Amino acid sequence: MKTLKSCLGVCMMVLLCALVLPAQAQKVRVHGVVSDEYSKPVEMAMVRAEGQTGIAICNMKGRYSLMCEVPKDSLVLVYSMIGHRTKKHVLNGVAGDSILVNITLSSTGVQLSNATVKAYRRQTDQMQKLSAKGAKLMPSTTGNAVEELVATQMGVSSRNEMSSQYNVRGGSFDENVVYINGQEIYRPMLVRSGQQEGLSIINSNMVSDISFSAGGFPAKYGDKMSSVLDITYKQPEKTEGSVALSLLGGDAYLGFGNKKFSMLNGLRYKTTRHLLGSTDTQGEYKPNFFDYQNFITWKPNDRWSLDFIGYLSTNHYNFRPKNRETKFGTMNDAKQFLVYFDGQEKDLFRTRYASLRLTHHFNEKTQLALLTSFYATKEQETYDIQGEYWLNEATTQEQLGVGTYMEHARNYLTAQVMNVGMQFHRQWGQHNVETAWMYKNEKVKENATEWEMRDSSDYSMPHRLDRLNLIYSLRAKTELSTNRFEYYLQDTYRWQSPQGRFTLNYGLRITHWSWNKETLFSPRVSLGWIPTFNENFTFRAATGVYYQSPFYKELRDTVTVDGNTHVELNKDIKSQRSIHLVIGGDYQFRMIDRPFRFSSEVYYKSLSQLIPYNVNNIRVVYCGENLGKGYVAGIDFKLFGEFVPGADSWVTLSLMSTKETILGHTIPRPTGQRYNLSLFFTDFFPGTTRWKMTLKAALADGFPFGVPHGKMDERPFRAPAYRRVDIGMSYRLLNNEDHHIKQGLGKAVKNAWLGVDAFNILGINNVNSYYWVTDITNHRFAIPNYLTGRLLNARLLLEF
């Protein structure tokens, strides 16, 4: 009986194997390469067989391998990728164990006569890619094209056309971090006005790629609470160059190279004398800003590469004021402020920067880099200016106030920041892992004295019978030397499933500061999803903890005794903290046979351990203590597309609410704008591409503010809205991009453009800050300091 049962069991197993083995044998491996119409591999393309569950994802080289069941008639393979047309390939009479199938996927761009309308790159993480293609022809008052481009993006605003600084979602200028080729960049610290500010370190002629995030950025980027701007410089393989001249300065650029070596050279000069002549304050302006930048890349072989950046800048701002006449108020209450000056201001800002990156490429998926950089600044701000002023009713000339004031400053600051670290990058399948550590040494030395005296109707303010007091007096003599240690680990995991394409970025950042013995942990995560049910959509979500470790300006705590203020460095200061939550997405569509993209993001930032500050012009003055908490909430919209064929334009709208609580008082943050509308529009004249027009327009809510040297928890006023329209008209004198000119000087020229800019074409008086006049009755008058007026600029651009 047992023998019979054993025989039956063996028979059943044989029968089961007979049923299974043929099914396993009817398998075939389909493999190959998926490329685009330019023979470039299509990474992350999905391959599947119709009616079957298995899928394959292409690697970085576009290669795939898929095991398929052999059907009775034919095998239908489906190849798909976001931004490309889905393609089906039919295999009849499948035989053998392996079949090679190479497929070409065409992009979703549309060919219209002689022009190709492109499909836009998809953003699946929190870093958006910006193009500086048309930046050279846009009207620019600062000469810093990249920052002016960033200021037109979603969630970003700028209220001073003389400065390249910008605010992001309720944050201050100091809450934005900037990288060039993976290394953090620093800015001068004593600059208090756009007039003093020179050229930023970013040379737009040398830029290859621009990445920007207004929140929820990955762990690899440093300790700032608002935004990150990541710049990558070019590595040309042929000679290129340009020369630009205008009434505001000029620049020259030369780049050359091959597959092993490349060099970029940028020389710039800027003067704002022409621009400052349109302000209310008349005088002798002598602003001269000069810089030189060099970028070298050397690749001796496939294993090693060396990158070097060198930067030198010298900025002089000399000013001897003569008089000022400002009219302000309303039609029913118009006032006139008249000042006659004596004295001068002399400022000097010198900056040196160098960075070195040595990279060993183990293979195409693994690399290890040694990073080092050095930043040094020497700054001095000196002025002695006396003014005699009259404040009158504009219509009746009734005198409201008369007096004299004198401002004095001898401010000197030197700073050095040295960085050294290592960075490791490895790709494992669909994972991109990056980790790095960094050591920073910071040294700052300040020796500053500044005071202000006011005499109103023969009385010194503030008025006391027993002694003479200054309205403001500050003394600072401090030195700082600290060490910082930074480490981060992050992974970007991309995969594709029947539900769509996913991008997951997660990481952790750890920092330690020797000044206050503070160790911080900053986890961050973001997820992007392009659904298969409609590939025109992209959804994103991000959250994380962002700390802003104090730098020198945040440490400066002030103590006032008998009207005299001196600076002390706060050893108990803590890092400000912001918890980000960002949810957004894009929708791509076609209208009038051209591509468009509509984007939106809603965000909330929980703020704690805030160091309160006030903004005067572009100087951010901190109280030096962690006294506040608050929040920022808002929603941003952006419509981007080719309103005109071949020219990108966009419009953005931001709505925001922000509050902070200081010592029990809840007030708006000093950079809290309730709304911001920005427009960047380009157009060609009908029937020709020789004439090009670029328009920039901004409408931004005013900032809250209080009286100068007042309490940090009182901001009862709000400045008027910032309204400005700039237009640039450019005419192409020569177009030799196809090299049809073979003789003479013209063969060396690629393009020649002649342009005219109309700044502030509507002639609107925008308020930058206020000067306060106080009479003997302690009645205060806020006199607006207006920005630049309507002005024309001529420019010439030659590209080689």
Side-chain angles (χ1 to χ4, degrees):
M1 196 69 183
K2 290 182 179 179
T3 304
L4 180 60
K5 289 182 178 180
S6 299
C7 291
L8 289 174
V10 171
C11 292
M12 292 294 293
M13 291 181 64
V14 171
L15 179 61
L16 180 62
C17 291
L19 293 174
V20 172
L21 289 178
Q24 291 180 339
Q26 298 300 314
K27 290 269 189 178
V28 63
R29 173 176 172 262
V30 182
H31 64 98
V33 175
V34 179
S35 57
D36 61 16
E37 61 264 51
Y38 306 105
S39 300
K40 294 183 178 180
V42 180
E43 182 187 0
M44 297 298 294
M46 184 175 71
V47 185
R48 62 182 177 86
E50 270 193 353
Q52 301 184 28
T53 58
I55 63 170
I57 304 297
C58 295
N59 62 13
M60 290 184 64
K61 295 185 177 181
R63 295 173 181 171
Y64 72 95
S65 178
L66 177 66
M67 295 301 297
C68 303
E69 297 180 7
V70 178
K72 295 181 179 179
D73 44 12
S74 61
L75 178 64
V76 181
L77 300 173
V78 181
Y79 299 81
S80 62
M81 178 60 190
I82 303 300
H84 296 75
R85 298 186 185 279
T86 300
K87 191 171 186 177
K88 294 184 178 182
H89 185 79
V90 180
L91 296 175
N92 295 310
V94 177
D97 297 332
S98 179
I99 300 176
L100 175 65
V101 180
N102 294 329
I103 290 293
T104 299
L105 296 182
S106 59
S107 64
T108 54
V110 178
Q111 187 77 22
L112 297 176
S113 62
N114 295 327
T116 299
V117 181
K118 58 183 177 294
Y120 296 121
R121 180 173 181 171
R122 308 298 289 266
Q123 179 191 341
T124 56
D125 56 18
Q126 290 303 116
M127 299 297 296
Q128 61 171 314
K129 301 293 183 180
L130 306 180
S131 173
K133 182 179 178 181
K136 290 184 177 181
L137 299 179
M138 74 176 184
S140 172
T141 53
T142 66
N144 303 316
V146 172
E147 287 90 339
E148 291 193 29
L149 189 69
V150 170
T152 64
Q153 301 304 311
M154 229 173 25
V156 188
S157 68
S158 175
R159 287 180 46 88
N160 190 332
E161 63 271 10
M162 290 185 291
S163 171
S164 61
Q165 308 280 13
Y166 51 86
N167 304 98
V168 179
R169 292 177 176 171
S172 73
F173 310 133
D174 297 331
E175 295 178 21
N176 307 315
V177 63
V178 179
Y179 287 81
I180 296 181
N181 287 9
Q183 306 240 36
E184 186 175 351
I185 301 301
Y186 301 87
R187 292 189 174 102
M189 287 179 276
L190 286 184
V191 174
R192 72 171 69 215
S193 67
Q195 293 92 319
Q196 299 171 324
E197 186 178 290
L199 293 155
S200 80
I201 191 173
I202 303 173
N203 189 323
S204 58
N205 293 319
M206 302 168 64
V207 171
S208 171
D209 298 311
I210 305 172
S211 298
F212 176 74
S213 175
F217 41 90
K220 67 179 292 185
Y221 296 112
D223 304 303
K224 299 291 184 180
M225 295 197 301
S226 289
S227 75
V228 58
L229 176 61
D230 192 0
I231 302 296
T232 304
Y233 277 172
K234 300 176 184 177
Q235 296 183 19
E237 295 187 1
K238 59 181 181 180
T239 302
E240 60 184 36
S242 66
V243 174
L245 297 171
S246 79
L247 298 178
L248 302 180
D251 61 70
Y253 158 71
L254 176 63
F256 57 88
N258 50 44
K259 292 184 178 180
K260 290 185 175 293
F261 179 84
S262 67
M263 178 183 289
L264 305 180
N265 297 275
L267 187 67
R268 296 183 296 175
Y269 169 73
K270 171 185 171 182
T271 177
T272 54
R273 185 182 308 179
H274 181 56
L275 195 63
L276 294 173
S278 64
T279 61
D280 285 346
T281 302
Q282 301 299 307
E284 184 180 347
Y285 290 95
K286 290 184 178 180
N288 295 293
F289 311 115
F290 170 85
D291 74 358
Y292 169 75
Q293 193 162 174
N294 173 265
F295 174 48
I296 298 175
T297 300
W298 180 41
K299 299 177 181 178
N301 52 51
D302 293 337
R303 295 296 184 186
W304 293 94
S305 64
L306 180 69
D307 299 336
F308 170 79
I309 296 179
Y311 175 79
L312 296 171
S313 75
T314 300
N315 300 328
H316 292 268
Y317 177 73
N318 297 331
F319 174 45
R320 189 182 294 272
K322 293 182 179 179
N323 60 76
R324 166 184 173 175
E325 182 179 2
T326 302
K327 296 180 179 179
F328 63 101
T330 64
M331 293 183 62
N332 298 325
D333 187 21
K335 293 180 174 59
Q336 180 188 46
F337 183 63
L338 184 63
V339 188
Y340 292 97
F341 296 101
D342 186 24
Q344 64 178 338
E345 176 178 357
K346 288 188 175 182
D347 304 328
L348 173 64
F349 302 91
R350 286 196 176 126
T351 301
R352 292 172 293 159
Y353 172 79
S355 69
L356 187 70
R357 180 188 183 100
L358 178 64
T359 306
H360 179 66
H361 305 267
F362 296 94
N363 51 54
E364 63 181 13
K365 296 182 179 181
T366 309
Q367 64 183 34
L368 178 67
L370 171 66
L371 309 174
T372 183
S373 68
F374 176 79
Y375 166 84
T377 179
K378 181 179 180 181
E379 307 172 25
Q380 63 181 48
E381 180 188 42
T382 64
Y383 55 81
D384 287 286
I385 296 178
Q386 178 177 309
E388 297 180 359
Y389 66 82
W390 289 262
L391 179 63
N392 304 323
E393 290 282 356
T395 54
T396 64
Q397 291 300 307
E398 178 186 353
Q399 192 173 90
L400 301 176
V402 61
T404 301
Y405 70 87
M406 185 171 183
E407 296 175 341
H408 165 90
R410 294 293 184 271
N411 299 333
Y412 304 94
L413 183 142
T414 59
Q416 295 180 358
V417 180
M418 187 274 291
N419 298 333
V420 62
M422 298 194 73
Q423 184 183 66
F424 177 77
H425 178 266
R426 167 71 178 173
Q427 181 181 356
W428 279 289
Q430 295 162 232
H431 292 266
N432 281 305
V433 179
E434 187 175 320
T435 185
W437 64 264
M438 185 71 69
Y439 163 76
K440 296 182 180 181
N441 176 258
E442 302 164 348
K443 294 181 179 179
V444 181
K445 184 177 181 180
E446 182 185 20
N447 188 357
T449 302
E450 57 183 62
W451 51 261
E452 181 179 353
M453 183 273 293
R454 292 187 191 175
D455 179 62
S456 179
S457 298
D458 298 326
Y459 288 92
S460 175
M461 303 297 300
H463 176 59
R464 289 190 58 170
L465 295 175
D466 56 339
R467 64 182 178 186
L468 178 65
N469 278 345
L470 299 172
I471 194 170
Y472 167 68
S473 173
L474 182 139
R475 182 74 176 94
K477 191 172 184 179
T478 58
E479 290 190 35
L480 173 72
S481 180
T482 66
N483 299 311
R484 298 182 194 265
F485 301 90
E486 301 177 357
Y487 172 80
Y488 73 83
L489 172 65
Q490 73 170 37
D491 175 33
T492 301
Y493 175 43
R494 296 183 175 92
W495 76 97
Q496 193 152 348
S497 73
Q499 288 72 39
R501 179 183 176 183
F502 295 86
T503 301
L504 175 66
N505 179 279
Y506 56 97
L508 175 67
R509 187 175 187 88
I510 304 174
T511 60
H512 177 78
W513 191 25
S514 64
W515 176 259
N516 59 2
K517 314 300 181 184
E518 186 179 47
T519 301
L520 304 172
F521 297 87
S522 176
R524 306 171 189 180
V525 62
S526 68
L527 177 66
W529 174 38
I530 302 177
T532 53
F533 67 79
N534 190 334
E535 294 182 351
N536 292 318
F537 283 103
T538 304
F539 299 101
R540 297 182 299 272
T543 187
V545 180
Y546 297 82
Y547 288 96
Q548 178 147 337
S549 185
F551 198 50
Y552 178 72
K553 290 197 297 184
E554 291 98 316
L555 294 177
R556 297 172 82 249
D557 193 6
T558 56
V559 178
T560 302
V561 179
D562 292 332
N564 297 314
T565 302
H566 67 276
V567 172
E568 296 179 353
L569 301 184
N570 186 358
K571 291 283 290 186
D572 298 323
I573 199 79
K574 300 296 182 183
S575 296
Q576 301 179 90
R577 184 176 65 188
S578 175
I579 300 176
H580 290 196
L581 176 61
V582 184
I583 300 174
D586 305 325
Y587 175 66
Q588 294 195 151
F589 61 97
R590 303 195 69 83
M591 184 172 62
I592 54 176
D593 262 339
R594 292 192 288 272
F596 287 85
R597 181 176 65 230
F598 178 76
S599 305
S600 180
E601 285 189 348
V602 59
Y603 59 90
Y604 179 84
K605 296 193 288 187
S606 176
L607 310 175
S608 58
Q609 299 178 182
L610 293 179
I611 305 173
Y613 62 89
N614 284 324
V615 180
N616 184 14
N617 203 315
I618 65 170
R619 171 174 282 189
V620 181
V621 181
Y622 295 88
C623 76
E625 297 181 76
N626 301 96
L627 299 178
K629 63 179 181 178
Y631 75 89
V632 182
I635 185 169
D636 299 328
F637 304 95
K638 180 179 180 180
L639 179 61
F640 179 95
E642 291 188 356
F643 296 89
V644 176
D648 292 337
S649 303
W650 58 89
V651 58
T652 64
L653 173 65
S654 299
L655 304 174
M656 181 178 65
S657 173
T658 175
K659 300 287 185 181
E660 64 181 2
T661 301
I662 305 173
L663 302 175
H665 296 85
T666 300
I667 56 176
R669 298 206 77 201
T671 50
Q673 291 178 301
R674 295 165 298 188
Y675 61 87
N676 181 54
L677 179 66
S678 178
L679 172 65
F680 186 95
F681 183 76
T682 54
D683 193 6
F684 294 99
F685 274 37
T688 179
T689 58
R690 282 185 174 271
W691 284 97
K692 185 174 183 180
M693 184 272 292
T694 304
L695 181 147
K696 292 195 307 177
L699 172 62
D701 189 23
F703 286 155
F705 68 97
V707 297
H709 316 302
K711 296 181 179 179
M712 287 285 181
D713 57 348
E714 292 182 357
R715 297 189 194 102
F717 312 108
R718 185 177 287 270
Y722 180 82
R723 300 162 294 165
R724 186 177 175 91
V725 178
D726 296 338
I727 295 180
M729 298 295 300
S730 302
Y731 177 73
R732 180 179 274 178
L733 298 170
L734 178 65
N735 181 4
N736 191 32
E737 292 188 356
D738 57 357
H739 304 288
H740 67 277
I741 301 177
K742 304 296 185 182
Q743 298 179 350
L745 296 177
K747 67 179 183 180
V749 180
K750 179 181 177 182
N751 280 304
W753 291 89
L754 182 65
V756 176
D757 299 324
F759 299 132
N760 193 9
I761 193 171
L762 301 181
I764 298 174
N765 289 327
N766 289 304
V767 177
N768 183 29
S769 59
Y770 289 89
Y771 182 79
W772 291 78
V773 175
T774 308
D775 63 16
I776 190 61
T777 63
N778 208 29
H779 186 193
R780 291 177 173 178
F781 298 91
I783 315 299
N785 297 317
Y786 292 123
L787 289 163
T788 59
R790 186 187 292 114
L791 195 68
L792 292 178
N793 177 46
R795 50 185 166 79
L796 174 67
L797 172 64
L798 300 177
E799 295 178 316
F800 305 98

